[in-house]
Amino acid sequence: MSRRLATLAALTAACLAGPALAQEATEPEATRVDDVVVSGTTLRRQVQVFVTAVTAPPRGHGPARWNARTGVCVGVVNLRREAAQVIADRVSEVAADLGLRVGEPGCVANVVIVATDDARAVATGLADRSPLAFKPRYSGSSRSRRALAEFVESDRPIRWWHVSMPTAEDGTPAVRLPGNPDAPYVRGGTRLRTTVQNVLLRAYVIIDYDQVEALSLGQLADYAAFVAFAQIDPEAETGGFPTILNAVADPGATPGLTSWDRDYLHAMYGSELHQRRPNAQISDMAGMMFRRQDRADRQTDRSD
């Protein structure tokens, strides 16, 4: 295991129907009852609940996404070449669909997908060897220390971790970095809007292949893409939504990225995340996702 960890470190995812009651013709008079109204959650509310539940940026910061110009470079570790290529190609395809530049073969991986039979040991080894790579010492770099401990110590079949940085519009850091006290600290915008965006720098996805034997390579690739391109809360309750995040619990229900997943990712990369309050940024994402879902539903209704 130590040699494997060293290799990995070097590269541093109703309808209720009841029986009908027939009324006899001889019954003198029907009994009148109050109308029964069956109310369900609206699409807009479903989208808002989902986006709020799954989006998990660092505390006090808005959602981070990959920079379209610098893009992503996908590296898949510890799988046979053919399987690794299938996953890398599929994740890169999702990236391209989001408008991200995809690195050429030989690029330095910033999306690292690791397959292993001991995910906890791999996560521990990577985090111990490069602690600052997982939690850099500046505001907005990653989620909490508690979340990092859960990433390392949990028994989840698929785990992930993101590192991000608040940046100005020209790509310069919007925070003071350790060891460089003279670095510019960017301020600007208005009370409601900001010139700062949060940009993803690295994503680690570790797959415990003994726990995902029921999943196809396509499902694993789509799952890894979804959690690599957005800061997803691993503890979010998603059972009521049509998402790839449910594939581990129910492999037959979600063969790959759903329209729900795609619309979430497109909302992440298509919305204007310049609101100063993080909650407003998440609401803007939910609004765009709702419009995409609603438009698709209307098109389906017209075609039926």
Side-chain angles (χ1 to χ4, degrees):
M1 177 60 69
S2 60
R3 188 165 66 184
R4 178 183 298 170
L5 291 177
T7 301
L8 299 177
L11 292 171
T12 22
C15 188
L16 296 177
L21 300 178
Q23 212 175 13
E24 295 182 11
T26 58
E27 185 175 312
E29 183 179 0
T31 302
R32 178 177 177 79
V33 297
D34 293 336
D35 293 336
V36 177
V37 179
V38 179
S39 59
T41 304
T42 65
L43 175 62
R44 184 183 295 275
R45 177 60 179 163
Q46 291 176 41
V47 169
Q48 182 71 49
V49 169
F50 178 79
V51 173
T52 302
V54 303
T55 309
R59 184 177 179 84
H61 293 266
R65 57 190 176 191
W66 295 96
N67 184 291
R69 295 189 303 273
T70 56
V72 298
C73 176
V74 182
V76 181
V77 183
N78 212 31
L79 284 176
R80 278 183 261 188
R81 181 182 297 275
E82 296 79 6
Q85 194 63 56
V86 168
I87 292 179
D89 288 347
R90 177 60 183 148
V91 174
S92 297
E93 180 183 326
V94 175
D97 183 55
L98 295 173
L100 299 176
R101 178 176 172 271
V102 178
E104 298 292 334
C107 58
V108 178
N110 52 14
V111 175
V112 180
I113 302 169
V114 182
T116 176
D117 59 357
D118 194 342
R120 181 184 294 184
V122 170
T124 300
L126 291 175
D128 286 350
R129 281 172 169 76
S130 305
L132 293 183
F134 280 77
K135 194 159 183 60
R137 293 173 182 162
Y138 57 81
S139 175
S141 67
S142 60
R143 298 183 68 203
S144 67
R145 294 188 182 279
R146 173 181 172 273
L148 180 57
E150 291 174 350
F151 164 78
V152 170
E153 298 169 4
S154 78
D155 293 321
R156 293 190 183 99
I158 304 176
R159 67 191 72 199
W160 55 90
W161 187 257
H162 300 92
V163 177
S164 56
M165 177 181 287
T167 65
E169 292 178 321
D170 62 358
T172 58
V175 290
R176 289 195 177 94
L177 302 178
N180 189 11
D182 297 327
Y185 183 82
V186 177
R187 295 182 183 273
T190 65
R191 291 179 60 190
L192 298 179
R193 300 181 65 77
T194 176
T195 60
V196 174
Q197 276 201 22
N198 298 308
V199 175
L200 287 172
L201 302 181
R202 292 185 297 279
Y204 304 90
V205 182
I206 303 178
I207 300 170
D208 191 321
Y209 50 68
D210 285 343
Q211 298 190 64
V212 294
E213 292 178 336
L215 299 184
S216 67
L217 283 178
Q219 286 174 302
L220 287 175
D222 280 5
Y223 197 118
F226 191 72
V227 300
F229 297 147
Q231 294 167 308
I232 301 297
D233 186 349
E235 297 181 353
E237 293 291 338
T238 60
F241 302 99
T243 170
I244 188 64
L245 296 174
N246 298 325
V248 173
D250 188 1
T254 48
L257 285 176
T258 65
S259 64
W260 189 268
D261 297 322
R262 294 180 185 279
D263 285 347
Y264 173 86
L265 289 176
H266 279 281
M268 166 71 73
Y269 285 86
S271 56
E272 187 178 348
L273 302 182
H274 286 291
Q275 290 89 344
R276 189 170 291 279
R277 294 186 300 109
N279 286 346
Q281 296 185 23
I282 292 174
S283 292
D284 191 60
M285 284 176 53
M288 175 170 281
M289 181 177 171
F290 164 74
R291 290 190 291 274
R292 292 178 64 94
Q293 284 280 307
D294 186 57
R295 184 166 58 249
D297 286 351
R298 292 175 185 274
Q299 291 172 348
T300 300
D301 291 342
R302 285 197 295 269
S303 64
D304 289 343

